[in-house]
Amino acid sequence: MPNLNVNKNGLTPEQAEIVTQTLPVVGANIEKITPNFYNRMFAAHPELIADTFNRGNQKQGAQQKALAASVATFAATLVDPDAPAPEELLSRIGHKHISVGIKPEQYPIVHKHLFDAIEEILTPEVFQGAVRDAWDAVYLEMQRVLIDFEKGLYDDLGVEAGDVFRAAHVVSREERGDDVAVFSVKLDDETPVSYLPGQYISVRQTMPDGAGQLRQYSLVGGEEGVLTFAVRRVDASEDLPAGEVSTQLWEKVQPGDAIEISLPAGDLVLDTKSDDPVVLISAGIGATPMIGMLDALVAADSKRDVVVLHADRAENTDALRAERNNAVSALVNARQQVWYEPDLMDLTDVDLPEGAQFYLCGGNGFLQAVRDQLAKRGVNRNNIHFELFSPNDWLLDA
């Protein structure tokens, strides 16, 4: 995997001081900056909202602010000498970019419209001249690091920038309960596709209005050129729209149908070369990357100490229970514990192996609660790796 080379001395002292002074006001106005930015960008480039950005996420205010907030978060790490280099943040962004085929020429589009939005919200009197120049330096450093990192990822895949989507077809579909379906797909050209345990693919579906909407799904297995992933249908609620891609996959896609998928990406991956104990912690459909990791451990006949901890609504909604049980049974040093509502995952009395690597996937609230519990148990933060499948998952560190 390519390296991330952040130049924490990339700003001049004057620029660093300006960013330090203006960072609080930029952060305080993210909620106003975000809609202004997206309205500007999508008006100038409607193809981005149709075929790159997830429209469902755009309708959710908390998730919509992710891109602007990531720039502010990156700025904070540059101007704080005690802040760690933001490799985790950038790696997560870079892999998401690969999964949707972001190209270098798209960065200046975001730069222009984001900074024009900031200038309008903060007023030109505040965000012009030396102030905008200083923030330009922040963005250009972030852009440089991400473009270099993503080039390395594209090179590892053996493709040109953005060329990650492939024609495939569905070879099987299995429904699990009322809202989960497990799909197995194969590339039309039958090219073998390798992936690391825990990675995901993007699935692109053409909507009735012609838009090509994207959604990421973790791989739960795959052999002889077949990739398998689980889809939970996302129904509309009072506050959130229905998931466009998940709904269409659930309602329409059957064995034999054409489907478009990306090459695998994702940095929440099991270190298969390590002998460290492994603790896999998930909630709901967050079990999917954990199944991929368990699949790899079983395939390697691993003797590692493995602890599997899962929380779900009920036994009948625990869609990947069979795969998890089979894997735990097949591993000589594995054990598991499951919590069903109304019980919440409580790690107080769980035997956590010394020196373990922890892999977490679930909703924002779940991850925060689990990470707090692990901190109380004295687990080293560097041993905790997480994935949220939400555009603003890096804000968990804010």
Side-chain angles (χ1 to χ4, degrees):
M1 187 175 293
N3 293 322
L4 284 154
N5 300 306
V6 179
N7 181 8
K8 289 206 68 173
N9 298 313
L11 305 182
T12 67
E14 294 77 16
Q15 289 172 333
E17 180 61 26
I18 289 171
V19 171
T20 299
Q21 292 178 353
T22 55
L23 185 58
V25 70
V26 172
N29 283 276
I30 288 292
E31 300 284 356
K32 298 177 181 177
I33 292 167
T34 294
N36 187 307
F37 156 57
Y38 282 113
N39 288 340
R40 287 172 175 273
M41 185 170 67
F42 294 150
H45 296 274
E47 74 280 2
L48 292 178
I49 185 60
D51 300 323
T52 301
F53 284 80
N54 184 293
R55 296 189 296 200
N57 289 338
Q58 289 302 306
K59 295 176 183 177
Q60 302 177 42
Q63 294 188 356
Q64 192 188 50
K65 71 180 183 182
L67 195 155
S70 71
V71 177
T73 302
F74 181 75
T77 68
L78 288 185
V79 299
D80 181 356
D82 296 324
E87 277 87 359
E88 189 174 76
L89 160 72
L90 296 173
S91 177
R92 202 166 306 144
I93 294 172
H95 277 275
K96 291 290 176 67
H97 283 179
I98 293 299
S99 76
V100 299
I102 293 296
K103 301 177 183 179
E105 56 264 32
Q106 292 173 312
Y107 278 89
I109 295 172
V110 171
H111 185 189
K112 169 180 168 51
H113 295 292
L114 174 59
F115 280 49
D116 285 353
I118 297 174
E119 182 174 308
E120 180 174 331
I121 296 301
L122 300 188
T123 75
E125 289 74 21
V126 173
F127 200 74
Q128 273 191 351
V131 174
R132 181 154 179 164
D133 289 345
W135 278 90
D136 279 340
V138 170
Y139 184 90
L140 291 174
E141 173 62 11
M142 187 173 180
Q143 171 182 294
R144 179 192 67 78
V145 174
L146 283 171
I147 288 177
D148 287 349
F149 178 63
E150 289 160 19
K151 182 182 185 303
L153 293 177
Y154 283 127
D155 288 346
D156 286 348
L157 291 171
V159 301
E160 296 296 321
D163 182 27
V164 295
F165 285 94
R166 300 290 182 269
H169 57 279
V170 179
V171 296
S172 69
R173 168 187 170 136
E174 181 184 355
E175 293 181 10
R176 306 285 184 88
D178 296 331
D179 62 357
V180 173
V182 178
F183 294 89
S184 291
V185 303
K186 193 171 187 177
L187 297 190
D188 288 352
D189 64 8
E190 299 190 354
T191 301
V193 179
S194 62
Y195 67 94
L196 300 175
Q199 288 194 307
Y200 54 82
I201 58 172
S202 286
V203 176
R204 180 152 59 193
Q205 287 282 287
T206 302
M207 298 295 120
D209 63 357
Q213 285 290 284
L214 301 170
R215 184 71 164 83
Q216 286 79 45
Y217 298 102
S218 291
L219 295 165
V220 299
E223 55 186 20
E224 297 181 358
V226 175
L227 299 175
T228 300
F229 58 95
V231 175
R232 168 157 279 158
R233 188 185 68 240
V234 180
D235 296 326
S237 66
E238 184 177 340
D239 301 320
L240 303 175
E244 286 192 274
V245 176
S246 66
T247 298
Q248 185 153 300
L249 287 170
W250 175 267
E251 293 181 349
K252 296 183 178 181
V253 176
Q254 299 294 332
D257 287 348
I259 193 169
E260 190 176 19
I261 65 171
S262 74
L263 298 174
D267 64 339
L268 182 79
V269 297
L270 179 71
D271 184 355
T272 56
K273 297 179 181 179
S274 172
D275 292 326
D276 288 344
V278 176
V279 180
L280 307 178
I281 305 178
S282 57
I285 202 64
T288 52
M290 309 311 170
I291 298 301
M293 295 182 192
L294 285 169
D295 185 56
L297 290 167
V298 171
D301 192 22
S302 176
K303 305 300 188 294
R304 295 168 73 173
D305 193 0
V306 179
V307 179
V308 183
L309 308 173
H310 181 70
D312 221 304
R313 289 174 290 169
E315 186 173 338
N316 64 346
T317 64
D318 189 357
L320 299 174
R321 180 166 53 96
E323 285 86 349
R324 191 177 64 244
N325 290 343
N326 290 340
V328 170
S329 297
L331 293 167
V332 295
N333 293 314
R335 61 190 186 277
Q336 71 168 317
Q337 187 169 342
V338 180
W339 290 259
Y340 293 129
E341 293 181 1
D343 294 333
L344 300 177
M345 184 177 287
D346 184 351
L347 305 182
T348 305
D349 297 321
V350 175
D351 182 16
L352 301 177
E354 192 72 24
Q357 297 296 318
F358 292 77
Y359 298 87
L360 284 59
C361 188
N364 193 330
F366 172 79
L367 289 189
Q368 290 281 26
V370 169
R371 286 176 60 180
D372 288 346
Q373 292 187 62
L374 292 177
K376 291 177 181 177
R377 294 286 302 269
V379 175
N380 188 321
R381 172 66 184 87
N382 293 329
N383 288 6
I384 303 173
H385 320 280
F386 65 93
E387 181 64 86
L388 182 69
F389 287 140
S390 168
N392 63 331
D393 51 8
W394 50 82
L395 299 181
L396 290 171
D397 289 324

